[in-house]
Amino acid sequence: MSTATPDPTVPPLDLEHPSAIEPGPVPLARRAFAEAIGTALLVAVVIGSGIMAVRLSPHEVGLQLLENSTATAFGLTVLILMFGPVSGAHFNPVVSLADWFLGRSQNTGLKARDLAAYIPAQIGGAIGGAVLANLMFALPAATASHTSRSSGHLWLGEIVATAGLVVLIFALVRTGRTALAPPAVGAYIGAAYWFTSSTSFANPAVTIGRAFTDTFAGIAPASVPGFIGAQIVGAVIGAALVTALYPGSSRTAAQ
C-alpha cells in the first residue's frame, strides 16, 4: 500500500479549530481553480449519470432516479475529499455566501474578495461540466433544456433542500466534526433527491449548469430564476438556524 506525499502548502486539519470549508493559507487563484474544476466535475457526474441511467433503464423513471442519485452521492463525497484541502470544496454559491455571512462576526470563513473569485469560478465550472457531460455521451456540446420546473411545490422543495444542506455543513463545522463532512454531505444530497419534490438541486451554480443539457437532469432556462430564488431563501433560513442552534464557531457537541 502506498500513500501520497502531502502538499506542504496545504495545512493539515486542525481539530482544535475546525473549519471544513475554510481551507487555510492556499493562494486564492489556486482555490478558485479548485472550485471551478470541482464544480465542473460535480455537474458532469449529475448530468452524465442521468444520461447513462436513461440509456440503461429506459421507461423506468424510479430506477433512473436511483441510479442518478447514487452516482451523485458517491461522486460528491469523492470530490469533497479531493478538493476540500485546497478550496474547502464549496462547489456552491450559497454555501460560499453562508460561509462569508456566518464568519463575519468572528473574522472566520471567506472574505469578500474570496466570494468575488469563488462564485464566478463555480458558475463557469458548472457550465463547463455540462458541456463535458454532453460531449462524453456524443450529444451537442450545449442544448437548452426543455424540462420545465416552475411550480410552487418545487420551489418549496428547493428551500427545504438548501436550508438542510447549510445547517448540516455548518453544524459539522461548529461542533468539530468536519472529518464527517464528505460522507455526510454526499449522503444528505443522495437522500434529498428522494424526499424533496425538486430532487434537491440546492445549488445555484449547478442549476445554471443543468440548463445547458436537454437530458434527464436538465432544467429549462425559464425555470432557473425561480429555483435560484428558492435556494437563496433556503440558505437564509439555514443560516438563521445555524446561528440559533450553534452560536459558537468552534464549540464541540460535548460542550
Side-chain angles (χ1 to χ4, degrees):
M1 181 178 69
S2 63
T3 59
T5 302
D7 186 342
T9 66
V10 177
L13 180 64
D14 184 352
L15 295 179
E16 295 299 321
H17 301 87
S19 179
I21 59 176
E22 184 182 356
V26 179
L28 179 57
R30 191 194 303 176
R31 287 186 278 143
F33 181 61
E35 285 295 299
I37 297 300
T39 310
L41 292 175
L42 173 59
V43 173
V45 168
V46 172
I47 294 175
S49 62
I51 296 170
M52 183 65 82
V54 171
R55 293 184 179 182
L56 293 177
S57 307
H59 313 302
E60 297 287 347
V61 178
L63 185 55
Q64 292 167 7
L65 185 61
L66 177 62
E67 293 161 347
N68 187 213
S69 62
T70 301
T72 300
F74 282 112
L76 179 56
T77 299
V78 170
L79 291 172
I80 294 171
L81 289 169
M82 288 171 62
F83 295 100
V86 182
S87 68
H90 295 200
F91 313 147
N92 188 336
V94 296
V95 171
S96 298
L97 285 166
D99 188 31
W100 165 77
F101 178 79
L102 292 169
R104 289 182 308 159
S105 62
Q106 298 177 0
N107 198 31
T108 61
L110 293 181
K111 311 304 180 190
R113 72 184 190 96
D114 300 326
L115 277 180
Y118 269 46
I119 293 177
Q122 292 160 352
I123 294 172
I127 295 171
V131 171
L132 175 62
N134 288 333
L135 292 176
M136 283 196 295
F137 288 90
L139 298 173
T143 305
S145 174
H146 291 88
T147 304
S148 176
R149 302 178 189 263
S150 296
S151 299
H153 69 286
L154 299 179
W155 299 334
L156 179 59
E158 281 301 288
I159 291 172
V160 171
T162 309
L165 177 63
V166 169
V167 171
L168 170 63
I169 291 171
F170 291 95
L172 293 174
V173 170
R174 292 190 170 200
T175 58
R177 298 175 293 160
T178 56
L180 297 175
V185 172
Y188 175 81
I189 292 298
Y193 259 81
W194 291 92
F195 73 74
T196 64
S197 57
S198 63
T199 66
S200 183
F201 284 42
N203 185 328
V206 169
T207 302
I208 292 170
R210 289 170 67 166
F212 286 80
T213 183
D214 193 20
T215 62
F216 180 80
I219 178 172
S223 300
V224 168
F227 260 50
I228 292 178
Q231 291 156 2
I232 292 171
V233 171
V236 171
I237 293 172
L241 289 171
V242 170
T243 301
L245 295 171
Y246 305 98
S249 64
S250 60
R251 195 173 291 177
T252 66
Q255 292 174 320

